[in-house]
Amino acid sequence: MSSALADRLADVDARIADAARAAGRDLAGITRIVVTKFHPASLVRDLHALGVRDVGENRQQELTAKRDELASLLDLRWHFIGQAQTNKARAVRAAADVVHSVDRSRIADALDAVGSGDPLDVLLQVNLTDDTGRGGVAPGEVEALTAHVAGLASLRVRGVMAVAPLDEDPAHAFERLRRSADVVRTVVPEATWISAGMTGDFPEAIAMGATHLRIGSAITGPRPVRG
C-alpha cells in the first residue's frame, strides 16, 4: 500500500474536521465517500485497510465489477453516483447499497420494479443549473418526485444530491440545495441526507449542511491513464 494514499486520506479527513468545526457541526453526522472511478479494485482494498467503508462509482459496469471482485469485504457500502439509466436498473440495484441519482419517476419505477428484500436507499438528484440537459430534477419539481418515490414499496427516500455548477459560488448553490432538502422533508420527514461537496468544494457543502461528501482525486490521486 502506498503511504501517499494514507497521507492524502488523513489530510482530507483533517480538512473535513476543520470545516465541520468551523460550521459548528458534529463530525459524526458527516459521511466521507471515496470516489474510485477508473481506479482498480486493489485501490479500494487499500482504502478499506485504512478504514474507509463508503466508496462511490459513476459507472454501473465498474461498480458491478469492483463489488464482485471485493465481495469478501462485507462491510463496504457501495454508492452509485452516476447518471442512472432505466435499462441498467437491475444491474445498478444488484450492486449498489445507495443510489444518489434518482432524478425522474421512470428511473425510480425501474429500480422499484426489480426490487426484492430490503428497501434500496435513494437520493433525489437536484439540478442546480438552468441547463435542462444536465442530470437532476428541477427544484420546482422536487416535491412531486419525492411523493412519487416515497410511494414505491422497495425504495427508501433518504434525501437529496447535487453537483455545484462550475460558474457559481458553491456556497450559493448548496444553499439552494438545502432548500430542496427542506421540501423533501415536508413529504418524508426522515429524509435528512444531503449528498453534496466534492474535492474542490466540500468545505462550502459542509457549511450548508451536507451529510455525505463525494471526494475523489484529493484522496485517490490522479486517475490512471486509460488506453
Side-chain angles (χ1 to χ4, degrees), residues 7-221:
D7 290 345
R8 289 193 298 266
L9 180 64
D11 176 68
V12 167
D13 282 349
R15 291 166 58 198
I16 291 172
D18 288 345
R21 192 177 307 112
R25 295 189 52 200
D26 183 353
L27 187 60
I30 300 172
T31 298
R32 176 250 298 126
I33 301 165
V34 182
V35 180
T36 56
K37 179 180 180 180
F38 297 151
H39 289 276
S42 59
L43 180 76
V44 180
R45 192 179 297 278
D46 289 345
L47 288 165
H48 181 269
L50 291 169
V52 170
R53 294 296 178 268
D54 289 88
V55 294
E57 290 294 336
N58 292 71
R59 299 169 65 250
Q60 174 268 314
Q61 298 93 326
E62 197 168 356
L63 170 67
T64 299
K66 286 179 184 174
R67 181 153 196 168
D68 287 348
E69 186 171 342
L70 301 171
S72 61
L73 303 181
L74 300 178
D75 56 350
L76 269 179
R77 183 161 48 182
W78 295 88
H79 299 253
F80 181 70
I81 60 178
Q83 288 305 118
Q85 299 174 14
T86 55
N87 65 338
K88 296 183 177 179
R90 185 178 300 276
V92 167
R93 176 134 198 180
D97 297 301
V98 186
V99 175
H100 288 235
S101 50
V102 172
D103 61 357
R104 57 197 188 279
S105 58
R106 284 187 64 231
I107 290 294
D109 292 344
L111 289 168
D112 179 61
V114 296
S116 62
D118 294 336
L120 174 68
D121 289 335
V122 300
L123 293 100
L124 309 183
Q125 182 176 354
V126 181
N127 185 355
L128 298 179
T129 77
D130 295 325
D131 181 0
T132 57
R134 292 193 60 171
V137 60
E141 299 172 7
V142 166
E143 184 174 2
L145 181 60
T146 304
H148 180 88
V149 180
L152 300 175
S154 77
L155 303 185
R156 178 166 50 197
V157 178
R158 285 296 202 176
V160 296
M161 181 273 261
V163 177
L166 294 176
D167 58 353
E168 182 182 359
D169 179 347
H172 293 159
F174 294 141
E175 186 175 18
R176 296 203 310 282
L177 179 64
R178 189 165 64 179
R179 291 200 291 270
S180 288
D182 292 342
V183 171
V184 169
R185 285 197 301 276
T186 66
V187 182
V188 183
E190 64 273 21
T192 57
W193 295 7
I194 299 177
S195 171
M198 300 189 294
T199 291
D201 56 22
F202 68 80
E204 291 89 345
I206 289 171
M208 289 297 155
T211 62
H212 290 67
L213 314 174
R214 310 180 307 273
I215 302 176
S217 59
I219 295 172
T220 62

